[in-house]
Amino acid sequence: MAKHRLRVLSLFTGGGGLDIGLEMAGLDTVMCVDHDPESCATIRHNRPEWSVFEGDVREFQPEGEFDLVVGGPPCQGFSTAGKGNPDDPRNFLWREYFRIVEQTRPKALLLENVAGMANAKNKHHLDEFISHLNLLGYQVEVGILNAADFGVPQARKRLFVLAGLGWKPHLPTKKKGAQHVSAAEAIGDLINNPNAPNHEPNQHAEHVVARWKNLKEGEVDPNYRRGRIYSDRPSPTIRAGGGFGPKGDHLAGFHPPIHYTLPRQLTVRESARIQSFPDSWVFKGSKTAQGRQVGNAVPPLLGRAVGESLKKGLVSFLEENSGRKSGT
Ligand SMILES: C[S@@+](CC[C@H](N)C(=O)[O-])C[C@H]1O[C@@H](n2cnc3c(N)ncnc32)[C@H](O)[C@@H]1O
């Protein structure tokens, strides 16, 4: 076992999905960076012991030593869900992530993003990031994982870059025979639990309720472009924001899919369960801000699986190295 706890510097922390997954894997987040006040309020509320730099990552100067640097730079520019503009300035924030890696030289790092980061039009960002890491002495593993294969009741594909300074980390593999968790298993009890945190249902207009009453499981309302989730399988991806009005007009706010039996969209808590957040993790800010934090997050159970694999590799690398140094 590692002789000391492994200290994590978390960039673009958001609502903390990745960090609580890493915590479940036995890694300790000690510093978080995010410019969104509502996300920072969530972190401070749930983990007052984690330090928070609330501001632009471009102004963040790391102090102290970290064993790991982790984070998911914003992905709207890479996302296949959005317009995916290759010149979106947010596409270049990985360079800030790299600057901080260069300054802190952690033993390992983890970068998470939408699978679209590996698409032809964005791949030069990924290639540049990897070649910069190689020049610093990092060995890199890249892959796309589906959260549903790691106990998350949601089909959600995400790209992970893992790197080790002088050693090669590996992504976790799907456990043989592991069953997918269905949406009903994940949120069924919330129908009779109105007091769960962040579980206030939206009051949709009567004509919307009338439409959604008649939708079958898996069916999409063509006007609102939203579907009723299946009860017996993982939910489709929960997204951070934006939706469509009846005339195809783009709406701000949080617009998750429709409940498998009720004529309304999922609540923030139901969406958080679909993302595998524990109910003890409370989201702060407006309902839109809560939904954004949930939809942007790495599902904690996926973060846990990746964290366990990363930690296992790092611990054995550290043990081997300390053995060599002491001649044992
Ligand atoms: C995809 S989310 C991260 C989600 C997080 N990994 C999780 O698992 O919950 C990206 C985050 O980056 C933050 N962000 C975007 N641009 C930033 C900047 N220039 N400086 C600091 N934070 C930024 C956003 O506020 C958002 O919370």
Side-chain angles (χ1 to χ4, degrees), residues 4 155 163 179 243:
H4 64 99
Q179 299 287 315

Side-chain angles (χ1 to χ4, degrees), residues 25-324:
L27 300 168
D28 290 347
T29 294
V30 290
M31 180 84 215
C32 302
V33 178
D34 204 291
H35 67 177
D36 174 41
E38 285 149 316
S39 298
C40 292
T42 294
I43 300 297
R44 290 191 184 103
H45 175 83
N46 292 284
R47 291 292 181 272
E49 65 277 21
W50 294 357
S51 299
V52 176
F53 174 86
E54 182 179 323
D56 196 314
V57 70
R58 287 169 280 211
E59 281 152 26
F60 174 68
Q61 289 304 332
E63 282 171 20
E65 284 190 18
F66 302 97
D67 299 294
L68 296 105
V69 169
V70 307
C75 51
Q76 287 84 351
F78 299 142
S79 179
T80 47
K83 278 184 242 132
N85 172 9
D87 300 323
D88 190 319
R90 292 170 295 189
N91 290 358
F92 296 87
L93 282 170
W94 66 263
R95 289 191 179 148
E96 288 302 311
Y97 182 113
F98 180 76
R99 168 184 65 84
I100 290 161
V101 167
E102 209 174 14
Q103 287 174 341
T104 55
R105 305 287 169 119
K107 299 176 184 80
L109 62 92
L110 181 169
L111 179 136
E112 172 270 345
N113 218 283
V114 289
M117 194 183 186
N119 284 351
K121 74 174 187 305
N122 300 318
K123 201 166 170 296
H124 61 285
H125 290 291
L126 185 58
D127 292 343
E128 205 181 323
F129 180 58
I130 293 170
S131 65
H132 280 37
L133 289 174
N134 290 152
L135 284 174
L136 286 188
Y138 284 92
Q139 294 179 38
V140 180
E141 162 125 329
V142 184
I144 293 174
L145 300 177
N146 185 348
D149 293 335
F150 297 91
V152 179
Q154 182 189 183
R156 184 184 186 94
K157 288 191 177 160
R158 285 296 183 268
L159 177 131
F160 287 88
V161 179
L162 301 184
L165 192 55
W167 66 283
K168 173 113 193 228
H170 296 289
L171 285 164
T173 46
K174 179 183 173 181
K175 281 200 186 83
K176 268 196 189 138
Q179 299 287 315
H180 281 173
V181 180
S182 73
E185 285 170 300
I187 64 173
D189 66 294
L190 285 171
I191 292 176
N192 299 316
N193 187 1
N195 297 325
N198 308 110
H199 188 39
E200 187 199 337
N202 269 34
Q203 299 302 324
H204 301 294
E206 257 174 51
H207 65 97
V208 175
V209 173
R211 292 172 71 90
W212 290 359
K213 262 189 183 151
N214 299 320
L215 278 185
K216 296 189 189 64
E217 288 190 14
E219 196 182 344
V220 175
D221 179 330
N223 285 24
Y224 291 84
R225 302 195 212 170
R226 276 208 265 175
R228 184 185 286 295
I229 62 173
Y230 287 100
S231 56
D232 64 351
R233 61 192 81 172
S235 157
T237 302
I238 302 289
R239 300 191 192 284
F244 296 94
K247 294 179 185 139
D249 39 326
H250 202 265
L251 301 176
F254 181 49
H255 301 275
I258 302 162
H259 194 279
Y260 58 85
T261 180
L262 303 171
R264 62 159 174 78
Q265 69 176 41
L266 299 176
T267 65
V268 170
R269 179 53 51 191
E270 285 162 345
S271 305
R273 287 262 193 108
I274 295 286
Q275 279 275 55
S276 76
F277 275 95
D279 285 1
S280 56
W281 192 264
V282 175
F283 296 91
K284 298 306 241 184
S286 65
K287 217 194 253 184
T288 297
Q290 294 168 20
R292 190 172 57 238
Q293 293 166 47
V294 170
N296 265 334
V298 174
L301 287 185
L302 180 58
R304 175 187 181 156
V306 178
E308 281 172 346
S309 188
L310 192 55
K311 184 181 170 198
K312 194 167 158 221
L314 176 53
V315 168
S316 58
F317 169 73
L318 293 175
E319 281 175 355
E320 254 174 48
N321 258 17
S322 70
R324 262 194 222 122

